Amino acid sequence: MTAPLDRRTDHRVTFAVLCIGVASFSLLQSMVNPVLPTIEAALGTDQATVSWVLTAYLLSASVFTPIIGRVGDKVGKERMLVVALIALAAGSLMAAVATSIGVLIAARVVQGVGGGVLPLTFGIIRDEFPRDRVAGAIGTAAALLAVGGGVGLVIAGPLVEALSYHWLFWIPMVMTVVAAVAAALWVPESPERTPGRINVGSALLLSAWLVALLLGVSQGHSWGWSSAGVIGLFAAAAVLLPAWVVAESRSEQPLVDMRMMRIPTVWTTNLTALLFGAGMYAMFAFLPQFLQTPTSAGYGFGASVTESGLLLLPQTVASFVAGVLAGRLALRFGSKPMLVLGAALTALGTLGLTLAHDEIWQILVESTILGLAFGLAFAAMSNLVVDAVPQSQTGVASGMNTNIRTVGGAIGSAVLTSVITAQLQPTGVPVESGYTHGFAVLAALAAAAALVALFIPVVRAPTHVVPGPQAEAELDALVDSSTPRR
């Protein structure tokens, strides 16, 4: 059934619903990490097992984000948004009432299906919003992902101290239930659909190489990088990834169209996302640990989980402000300069952490710079990809960009873990040079991302594409394009 015209034109209601969904998903990405020791003690498990609470969510979200985005392109983004939000709510309910680590890990797998919320959100914005509002809306929605990461770190400690860790899941559950009901009632059905069936074989191949790669990366430090299990997983990924690319290239109805992935703007933005994600997600993980290091180690500030979160509050505020402003700045200067600026500021902030991290004010200034950088870059990357692909490919293109950023984050966190923990003090705390070298690696990754971003060609695809030969010809033209289109 087609949505009434007055519903479709009220994009502000649609945007409010979308923001609640994105905020819920982003909170679940970050709130659990600071309280893993609490969960470990409460459920009577060990550190190696409780780490699967993070790993299971990472693997599930990585698999489902592009798949849900593509299914939304085919059957309707509004329908799949409701499905993704219901899965997020169901997984949160399971996690909130879990009495064993096995149930909690299973709940996190279900929550990962909600990864499709982000690409579906970008697709719905492009479908429903006036053209001059798209960049700003996408920028704000993308910034919410970075903001949610910061907010999760800020509120996790106080929430657990005041109530219990179960509330880390109750609150997102309530938010996603509200968002799911509102989406079903008020988000209009997609006007753009991609015809054809879902390629199940391609989905299985995509899932297989992603799981092999990310499981190897995430468990490499604990299993040992030279262990048979890790080497076997990397070997499997090395075989499955090209097999997936070949299968998609030959398929008449691919899950992820390889021609779309070869559009110059898309692949260069995705490469930037890989490098940027490696630095950003690692920073989310390790800066709070640095702040919580006891002063007896010769560095650090001995902050509690709550205090370290509050110290990073300016970073969160800066991310949101930058994301909101990014759309307006993109309309005036373009998204590419915003991405270059965001990556360059990330390099500046991490270089500052490398050279000066002895005073609280230094950390506050440097983390605020990083917050501005994350907000600008998230918004710019999303807008560049959405603008560059035909409307019928928006969901899967956004999903793959998000996924590549997540893969980068997993790789960056693994590398940083190895660098920081290469040498430990007798108390088991890393030596200060571990963090210094780790921050230097992140600065180099951000500088590389800024360099790649300089070479992104800005190409704008048509807003509406008619399925059939015309769509095929337009996609081929975008792949071959080398000059900007306005």
Side-chain angles (χ1 to χ4, degrees):
M1 180 181 296
T2 303
L5 182 61
D6 59 337
R7 278 180 58 198
R8 185 172 295 284
T9 54
D10 191 359
H11 60 274
R12 292 168 298 182
V13 175
T14 299
F15 187 60
V17 175
L18 297 176
C19 285
I20 295 174
V22 171
S24 302
F25 173 72
S26 62
L27 282 174
L28 286 168
Q29 281 191 305
S30 61
M31 283 200 301
V32 177
N33 194 20
V35 297
L36 281 182
T38 302
I39 295 174
E40 178 184 341
L43 296 181
T45 185
D46 53 47
Q47 185 177 8
T49 304
V50 82
S51 69
W52 280 91
V53 174
L54 299 179
T55 303
Y57 185 73
L58 168 69
L59 296 178
S60 179
S62 298
V63 167
F64 283 105
T65 295
I67 292 175
I68 296 293
R70 187 53 170 166
V71 175
D73 288 335
K74 289 182 175 291
V75 306
K77 302 179 187 71
E78 178 266 345
R79 293 181 183 181
M80 292 311 300
L81 177 65
V82 174
V83 169
L85 289 170
I86 289 174
L88 206 58
S92 299
L93 176 61
M94 288 176 60
V97 300
T99 55
S100 69
I101 189 64
V103 174
L104 181 57
I105 291 171
R108 294 289 279 172
V109 172
V110 176
Q111 286 177 345
V113 179
V117 166
L118 202 63
L120 293 171
T121 292
F122 295 154
I124 291 170
I125 288 172
R126 189 178 186 187
D127 288 348
E128 300 299 328
F129 282 45
R131 182 64 196 174
D132 62 343
R133 300 290 182 89
V134 169
I138 287 178
T140 302
L144 281 176
L145 195 61
V147 169
V151 170
L153 296 175
V154 171
I155 68 174
L159 199 59
V160 171
E161 290 175 4
L163 300 169
S164 71
Y165 78 86
H166 298 281
W167 284 90
L168 300 178
F169 304 108
W170 283 121
I171 291 175
M173 188 207 75
V174 172
M175 292 173 63
T176 46
V177 167
V178 171
V181 173
L185 292 175
W186 292 307
V187 175
E189 293 186 10
S190 305
E192 298 286 340
R193 306 286 178 89
T194 303
R197 62 179 177 81
I198 304 299
N199 193 324
V200 177
S202 294
L204 291 175
L205 274 174
L206 172 66
S207 303
W209 77 257
L210 277 171
V211 169
L213 174 63
L214 292 174
L215 187 56
V217 168
S218 62
Q219 298 300 313
H221 184 71
S222 57
W223 292 357
W225 292 107
S226 59
S227 67
V230 171
I231 292 174
L233 286 168
F234 286 155
V239 172
L240 291 167
L241 173 56
W244 171 71
V245 172
V246 170
E248 293 283 48
S249 300
R250 294 178 177 177
S251 175
E252 294 182 359
Q253 295 181 339
L255 180 75
V256 180
D257 196 322
M258 288 296 111
R259 291 173 302 167
M260 179 270 294
M261 294 293 287
R262 292 199 305 270
I263 294 172
T265 304
V266 172
W267 75 259
T268 49
T269 303
N270 284 341
L271 178 56
T272 305
L274 181 73
L275 295 166
F276 189 85
M280 189 201 70
Y281 287 114
M283 186 61 67
F284 278 150
F286 286 97
L287 188 53
Q289 290 187 19
F290 179 83
L291 294 171
Q292 292 166 27
T293 300
T295 55
S296 59
Y299 67 97
F301 300 94
S304 66
V305 172
T306 300
E307 290 168 344
S308 65
L310 291 174
L311 287 172
L312 295 176
L313 183 59
Q315 173 183 296
T316 302
V317 174
S319 290
F320 183 72
V321 171
V324 171
L325 294 177
R328 297 178 185 177
L329 294 172
L331 287 174
R332 182 171 181 179
F333 302 106
S335 293
K336 175 181 172 178
M338 295 302 101
L339 179 53
V340 174
L341 178 60
L345 285 175
T346 302
L348 177 64
T350 46
L351 180 61
L353 286 170
T354 304
L355 301 176
H357 49 249
D358 297 326
E359 303 291 339
I360 285 291
W361 70 265
Q362 294 170 338
I363 302 294
L364 290 175
V365 170
E366 291 151 358
S367 62
T368 301
I369 291 173
L370 289 172
L372 291 171
F374 296 161
L376 288 174
F378 260 58
M381 277 188 280
S382 302
N383 273 311
L384 282 167
V385 170
V386 168
D387 267 350
V389 301
Q391 193 151 348
S392 58
Q393 301 267 8
T394 303
V396 69
S398 300
M400 287 303 294
N401 180 258
T402 301
N403 221 20
I404 289 169
R405 195 164 58 223
T406 301
V407 170
I411 294 172
S413 296
V415 170
L416 207 65
T417 298
S418 297
V419 172
I420 289 175
T421 60
Q423 186 177 353
L424 301 177
Q425 298 181 4
T427 57
V429 175
V431 298
E432 184 177 5
S433 61
Y435 279 102
T436 302
H437 294 156
F439 292 146
V441 169
L442 298 186
L445 287 170
L451 181 61
V452 173
L454 284 171
F455 294 94
I456 295 175
V458 181
V459 179
R460 177 168 292 177
T463 304
H464 294 278
V465 176
V466 179
Q470 181 180 338
E472 299 292 321
E474 181 60 44
L475 191 53
D476 288 335
L478 288 169
V479 173
D480 296 335
S481 63
S482 58
T483 56
R485 292 167 48 122
R486 296 291 181 185

